[in-house]
Amino acid sequence: MTIRAALFDFSGTLFRLEHPELESNGPLMRALTAPVGIADGMDPELVNAWHRRDLDPDVHRWVHVRVLKDSLVADAEAFYDQLLAPESWVPYPDTEATLEHLKDVPVAVVSNIGWDIRSVFELHGLTHLVDEFVLSYEEGVIKPDPKIFATACERLGVDPRHAVMVGDSEEADGGAESIGCSFRLVNPVPTSDRPNALLDVARTIPV
């Protein structure tokens, strides 16, 4: 079936959060970037807020700062701000080439996120390759809820059966299949370890 629109996850798919302190602390990296679930050993009083973090920027800040403090990160407030800085997000080597490869179909970034990632795309000169940003904190719904994928398809003006979702989580991003989208999985490894997997996936999409 011909694909008439492409949906992409943000973290672990098009970009990756890369920070020296996180690269040396695997559990903290997983806690901050895992698309679903909670970190091992999380304080029970944080669990509810953690599940709501991508729906409310204030909750996002509060619960992440608490996790950072619990992980003994010095000056957790400042560290949190660094994590949201566009400079802390590194595009995969083939991100631009992938979006260019699909420039003849509309593209949406569909992300569970508690802050505005548009500045990341602006920093790297990629905004013109994205037609829509469908962000959980703006939409009031998080993946894998089918509503967020349906919203993306509606804004791109395509039937979900003619759209593909590309992401790093079968549980979260794979939820697009519930409305008829096809799904492609990529591995959220460091950017240096994944030079062309995204472009290889894009080349399998019949547009």
Side-chain angles (χ1 to χ4, degrees):
M1 180 180 293
T2 300
I3 295 298
R4 296 174 181 164
L7 318 180
F8 285 91
D9 173 51
F10 169 62
S11 175
T13 300
L14 295 175
F15 286 82
R16 187 172 187 269
L17 174 61
E18 297 194 344
H19 188 286
E21 288 188 49
L22 292 179
E23 296 301 334
S24 62
N25 189 333
L28 181 58
M29 170 66 92
R30 287 190 293 274
L32 296 179
T33 61
V36 292
I38 61 173
D40 293 338
M42 179 176 286
D43 187 331
E45 76 171 63
L46 300 183
V47 171
N48 183 55
W50 189 255
H51 286 308
R52 294 187 295 109
R53 70 193 186 283
D54 291 329
L55 295 172
D56 185 323
D58 292 335
V59 174
H60 192 277
R61 169 178 283 275
W62 179 83
V63 73
H64 276 81
V65 168
R66 277 291 307 273
V67 169
L68 291 168
K69 287 180 177 178
D70 289 349
S71 300
L72 305 180
V73 172
D75 197 351
E77 292 276 358
F79 192 84
Y80 172 83
D81 289 334
Q82 290 178 34
L83 301 185
L84 271 59
E87 296 81 8
S88 294
W89 292 86
V90 180
Y92 280 91
D94 54 348
T95 289
E96 182 172 9
T98 297
L99 296 176
E100 286 281 4
H101 180 76
L102 295 170
K103 64 183 179 181
D104 291 334
V105 299
V107 168
V109 174
V110 184
S111 178
N112 286 353
I113 201 79
W115 52 281
D116 193 349
I117 60 177
R118 293 174 180 86
S119 59
V120 177
F121 288 80
E122 291 171 4
L123 176 66
H124 294 281
L126 300 176
T127 306
H128 68 290
L129 296 174
V130 178
D131 297 281
E132 293 286 343
F133 288 89
V134 183
L135 311 181
S136 60
Y137 84 96
E138 294 180 335
E139 305 302 328
V141 62
I142 59 176
K143 297 178 290 188
D145 191 312
K147 293 179 183 177
I148 196 165
F149 305 110
T151 296
C153 290
E154 181 180 351
R155 290 185 185 165
L156 295 181
V158 298
D159 186 307
R161 293 172 296 178
H162 294 282
V164 60
M165 176 73 203
V166 181
D168 68 307
S169 169
E170 287 192 53
E171 183 175 353
D173 303 309
E177 291 180 310
S178 67
I179 64 167
C181 297
S182 55
F183 172 61
R184 303 286 195 280
L185 182 69
V186 291
N187 191 357
V189 295
T191 55
S192 59
D193 295 342
R194 212 190 76 192
N196 52 25
L198 196 61
L199 186 56
D200 287 346
V201 164
R203 286 171 174 159
T204 70
I205 298 172
V207 296

